[in-house]
Amino acid sequence: MILAAGKGTRVRPLTYALPKPMIPILGKPVMEYLIEHLVKFGIQDIMVNVSYLHDRIENYFGEGQRFGARIGYSFEGYVDDDGQVFPNPIGSAGGMKKIQEFGGFFDETTLVICGDALIDLDLHSALFEHRRKGALVSVITKEVPMEQVSSYGIVVAEPDGKVKSFQEKPTQQEALSNLASTGIYIMEPAALDLIPKDKFFDIGADLFPLLVEKQLPFYAQKRFFNWIDIGNVTDFWSVLQSVLKGEVAQMYVPGTQIQEGVWVGLNTRIDWEGSTIEGPVYIGAGSHVEAGVTIVGPAWIGHGSHICSGAKVIRSVLFEYTRVAQGTVFEDSVVYGAYSVTHNGEMKHTSDQPDEQWNDARDRRLKPRSAIQEIRSA
């Protein structure tokens, strides 16, 4: 079960037009990496609960044939009398109950995983420990530095792993543990009996406290694995920086390497005269880099982009079809459509700028609309 119904509000503006599981890493949605990982371990039957911008997920993944999986969807929401679709998530546990009531999908041990993280967890080992302990539910945890506990849901467990309590983003002084819940759970079918029908019910906030209250066999597994959570735009920027620098195993920059640390997609045009490009940098297919441009990596420039002369792109991520105007500087930023966000969360819109520092590269106007109007009036 992949949980993919949330709005991803902490990752705005990326999620204004993308559901969070569709956020791309090296040009590929996060959820695609998850599905590939599941299939590698022989997990082929995958249900996905969807709601916000559900069609973006469904249209991309289809029924899963090209991934070697069988994928089904459970939509949470409704269509009004005018045919408009309204998302209405019912909680992670509520979404599971809806699926179970409809067709009884969860009739075997089930892995439940959030659709917005990159992992390399040994699923066979986790399943073995779950069964060895006779757990009804297992939550996969990972140790985090004590100074970071305020960013996570923290699990407090006995020495044998039995869960005692939870703390939601405690301060370092309040924290009773440094085991962070990774949003990966293993559940037996009987756990679904605890979830009420037709009610918003969350796994972490509602089901887990109920398991502790009833003293059911609920265990935390402390695992050592790579878990890269995209909690906000800063996390997304940091992940891309790490990936481009080669710090994340099994993730490689696509395209063709044309010089040390510089990769390009097909039909990319770079005017090298007066330009400086310091890798690691990826420049997507069909992009145009004019003469006199400075690009300092780690940097990702999406396909169809246009970097005008005198512009600087420094340790930044530009989504597809981004035109960066002459003299514009993006440093430690993410640019998505009409929005730019710095790595510390400062957001700007193109309308906030006196001149269009960036716009859609498919727009034939190379100058701001106001400047064009002034030329015409003259």
Side-chain angles (χ1 to χ4, degrees):
M1 169 79 177
I2 294 179
L3 304 172
K7 286 188 174 182
T9 54
R10 292 191 298 138
V11 198
R12 289 174 178 169
L14 304 185
T15 49
Y16 282 146
L18 280 177
K20 196 175 178 185
M22 292 299 294
I23 291 175
I25 303 293
L26 297 184
K28 191 162 73 172
V30 173
M31 193 170 123
E32 185 171 345
Y33 290 103
L34 280 177
I35 290 173
E36 290 173 347
H37 190 67
L38 294 174
V39 170
K40 184 173 71 174
F41 280 88
I43 300 174
Q44 296 174 308
D45 294 341
I46 302 170
M47 280 298 299
V48 185
N49 70 327
V50 293
S51 186
Y52 177 67
L53 298 175
H54 67 101
D55 52 323
R56 298 293 297 269
I57 296 174
E58 294 167 11
N59 292 342
Y60 185 89
F61 291 101
E63 296 193 11
Q65 296 96 325
R66 64 191 174 100
F67 305 102
R70 293 180 291 270
I71 301 176
Y73 305 93
S74 176
F75 172 68
E76 298 173 12
Y78 60 93
V79 177
D80 69 4
D81 294 340
D82 297 323
Q84 186 173 354
V85 177
F86 286 88
N88 186 34
I90 52 178
S92 49
M96 293 186 69
K97 189 69 172 185
K98 180 175 184 282
I99 293 169
Q100 185 72 347
E101 288 292 303
F102 183 82
F105 176 74
F106 302 107
D107 56 355
E108 299 179 52
T109 303
T110 299
L111 177 72
V112 184
I113 186 167
C114 294
D116 57 3
L118 299 172
I119 64 168
D120 63 0
L121 176 67
D122 184 337
L123 300 178
H124 289 160
S125 178
L127 182 60
F128 176 83
E129 182 175 339
H130 171 82
R131 288 175 169 159
R132 179 177 62 82
K133 290 185 173 179
L136 177 67
V137 174
S138 295
V139 53
I140 309 302
T141 66
K142 184 176 173 66
E143 285 189 321
V144 296
M146 286 301 294
E147 58 269 21
Q148 296 179 13
V149 291
S150 61
S151 299
Y152 301 100
I154 296 299
V155 181
V156 184
E158 302 281 4
D160 65 352
K162 190 164 186 180
V163 176
K164 295 167 56 179
S165 62
F166 295 89
Q167 295 180 291
E168 183 58 29
K169 299 180 179 177
T171 65
Q172 185 174 343
Q173 293 72 30
E174 297 170 335
L176 302 176
S177 162
N178 67 334
L179 293 180
S181 171
T182 62
I184 305 171
Y185 320 116
I186 304 174
M187 296 189 184
E188 295 302 318
L192 276 292
D193 296 337
L194 300 169
I195 304 171
K197 293 189 294 184
D198 303 321
K199 179 181 178 181
F200 187 96
F201 209 72
D202 185 71
I203 291 175
D206 300 307
L207 178 60
F208 284 176
L210 187 60
L211 291 168
V212 172
E213 178 188 333
K214 292 181 174 293
Q215 298 185 1
L216 295 170
F218 176 28
Y219 288 88
Q221 293 187 19
K222 183 169 67 174
R223 291 273 157 188
F224 300 94
F225 65 104
N226 287 314
W227 169 56
I228 302 174
D229 178 39
I230 302 174
N232 51 45
V233 174
T234 299
D235 291 339
F236 173 71
W237 177 84
S238 298
V239 167
L240 258 296
Q241 296 290 297
S242 298
V243 168
L244 288 167
K245 287 188 286 188
E247 296 174 353
V248 181
Q250 307 303 316
M251 297 193 73
Y252 307 103
V253 181
T256 301
Q257 187 169 200
I258 59 171
Q259 67 178 44
E260 183 66 29
V262 179
W263 289 264
V264 299
L266 292 175
N267 199 35
T268 296
R269 176 180 168 186
I270 302 175
D271 299 331
W272 289 97
E273 184 178 354
S275 293
T276 299
I277 303 180
E278 301 176 6
V281 169
Y282 173 77
I283 302 171
S287 294
H288 179 196
V289 178
E290 294 185 359
V293 162
T294 299
I295 303 174
V296 177
W300 174 279
I301 296 172
H303 65 262
S305 293
H306 181 188
I307 315 300
C308 297
S309 180
K312 295 182 180 181
V313 178
I314 301 171
R315 296 183 301 276
S316 293
V317 179
L318 311 184
F319 274 65
E320 62 272 14
Y321 298 113
T322 299
R323 176 185 289 119
V324 183
Q326 292 183 3
T328 298
V329 177
F330 282 116
E331 185 170 354
D332 297 334
S333 298
V334 176
V335 181
Y336 178 63
Y339 295 90
S340 73
V341 188
T342 63
H343 75 290
N344 57 10
E346 181 185 351
M347 187 186 302
K348 295 180 181 179
H349 190 272
T350 51
S351 62
D352 299 330
Q353 311 307 309
D355 297 318
E356 285 188 357
Q357 297 181 4
W358 77 96
N359 64 359
D360 191 324
R362 294 165 293 189
D363 190 336
R364 292 166 60 184
R365 295 178 294 112
L366 292 177
K367 294 185 177 182
R369 193 176 300 276
S370 58
I372 293 173
Q373 290 170 345
E374 289 172 6
I375 292 170
R376 286 175 178 169
S377 62

